[in-house]
Amino acid sequence: MTEEARRTRTAFVKPRLIAGNWKMHLTATEAAAFVRAFRRALPPGVDADILLIPPFTALDAVRRARRDDDAFGLGAQDLHWEPEGAYTGAVSGPMLKDAGCRAVIIGHSERRRLFGDTDADVNRKLKAAVRHDLAPILCVGETPEERDAGRTEQVVGTQLRRGLHDVALDQLAGLTIAYEPVWAIGTGQAADVRQVEAVHASLRAMLTAEWGAVGGDARIIYGGSVSTHNARDFFGSPEINGALVGKTCLDPDGFATLCQFASSA
Ligand code: PGA
């Protein structure tokens, strides 16, 4: 596939990406109701790429509830690097693609911390995602101890380099990096916008230094307690190309409000 063809198939096109990571919430039945409520809440003409990222069991329910003219797409929370095989409990890239996904989260800190995903696993998963035309959302972020030790940029830089190790340049179109400080996730304590800007700028500089044009094309979004109270501060910054949202995305009205803020920022 040519780079142009790949870009057209996987790249996001709007100024900002708002991705709602449902984590382990909502049954398939609840998911269908969510889609109906979210559609009602979302104002017409919202100018943002929007992803609903439900658990695997609700992917089909969201796809069925979705209409062709809906302004949101579907993503997955994780994938296995093999296309198929004896991997009990795992889901592969081709399965996600067939389920209607266009993107997949890779290396979320909960996967790293609770399920033991290493940087090498993250790298294998990222390569599998691009192989199957799923836009990767690569998560990086430091722990509170690493932040306090002044190691944030070093930690996220290492995660970035290892995550993208040996990935062909032409496969990186459509890449999104989600900077998610571990201490900000699910705590109600979002990072400071200026600090986020500094980390994003360092990630972009690293991308540009090592992968050239990819650095300019990649989206760098922020995640960690983004809410209707603080989202406008983040979306007001040119360094912050959107948000990966946990808790607030489970409320259809709140998530629609975030999408509206992202559109008008
Ligand atoms: P949060 O989760 O918005 O609940 O902090 C963000 C995430 O884990 O992606």
Side-chain angles (χ1 to χ4, degrees):
M1 192 185 306
T2 64
E3 182 173 358
E4 193 48 44
R6 188 176 292 280
R7 190 181 298 270
T8 317
R9 284 176 63 169
T10 60
F12 297 106
V13 292
K14 302 290 175 64
R16 287 180 198 80
L17 168 65
I18 309 301
N21 173 12
W22 296 11
K23 308 193 180 184
M24 197 173 74
H25 293 286
L26 305 194
T27 63
T29 308
E30 290 164 343
F34 177 97
V35 171
R36 289 191 293 274
F38 180 56
R39 177 185 298 122
R40 273 197 304 274
L42 196 64
V46 164
D47 190 29
D49 281 314
I50 303 167
L51 283 178
L52 304 186
I53 310 187
F56 297 137
T57 47
L59 285 172
D60 194 52
V62 173
R63 176 159 70 168
R64 284 169 194 270
R66 200 184 160 277
R67 294 189 197 138
D68 284 347
D69 60 344
D70 275 332
F72 46 89
L74 193 57
Q77 298 176 15
D78 187 34
L79 85 171
H80 194 274
W81 51 82
E82 292 293 340
E84 61 179 354
Y87 301 98
T88 301
V91 171
S92 75
M95 292 170 184
L96 296 180
K97 197 73 196 171
D98 185 65
C101 292
R102 60 178 297 208
V104 58
I105 298 174
I106 295 170
H108 190 281
S109 66
E110 286 153 15
R111 294 291 324 170
R112 295 179 191 258
R113 195 163 45 88
L114 304 172
F115 299 93
D117 283 17
T118 63
D119 283 330
D121 295 334
V122 168
N123 180 245
R124 281 192 278 263
K125 290 179 177 192
L126 192 130
K127 286 173 177 163
V130 295
R131 212 166 29 247
H132 300 293
D133 289 324
L134 291 158
I137 301 173
L138 171 61
C139 299
V140 299
E142 82 286 4
T143 64
E145 296 76 27
E146 290 163 340
R147 174 199 58 186
D148 294 344
R151 296 182 52 229
T152 297
E153 291 184 13
Q154 182 197 336
V155 168
V156 300
T158 302
Q159 290 171 335
L160 181 77
R161 276 200 201 89
R162 291 186 180 162
L164 297 181
H165 176 69
D166 237 2
V167 181
L169 248 190
D170 69 344
Q171 307 226 295
L172 287 177
L175 174 70
T176 297
I177 307 294
Y179 169 53
E180 298 206 305
V182 175
W183 48 269
I185 295 176
T187 60
Q189 196 197 339
D192 176 77
V193 176
R194 298 284 96 77
Q195 286 164 3
V196 173
E197 285 180 325
V199 177
H200 284 208
S202 103
L203 287 166
R204 192 168 302 284
M206 200 175 305
L207 278 171
T208 306
E210 303 208 10
W211 288 274
V214 171
D217 290 352
R219 265 191 158 138
I220 306 182
I221 65 176
Y222 167 75
S225 298
V226 174
S227 71
T228 51
H229 303 293
N230 59 28
R232 270 190 281 214
D233 300 336
F234 290 109
F235 300 149
S237 165
E239 294 281 0
I240 302 172
N241 311 134
L244 182 53
V245 184
K247 190 162 181 273
T248 300
C249 84
L250 295 172
D251 163 23
D253 294 319
F255 193 52
T257 302
L258 288 190
C259 295
Q260 198 180 353
F261 288 166
S263 170
S264 57

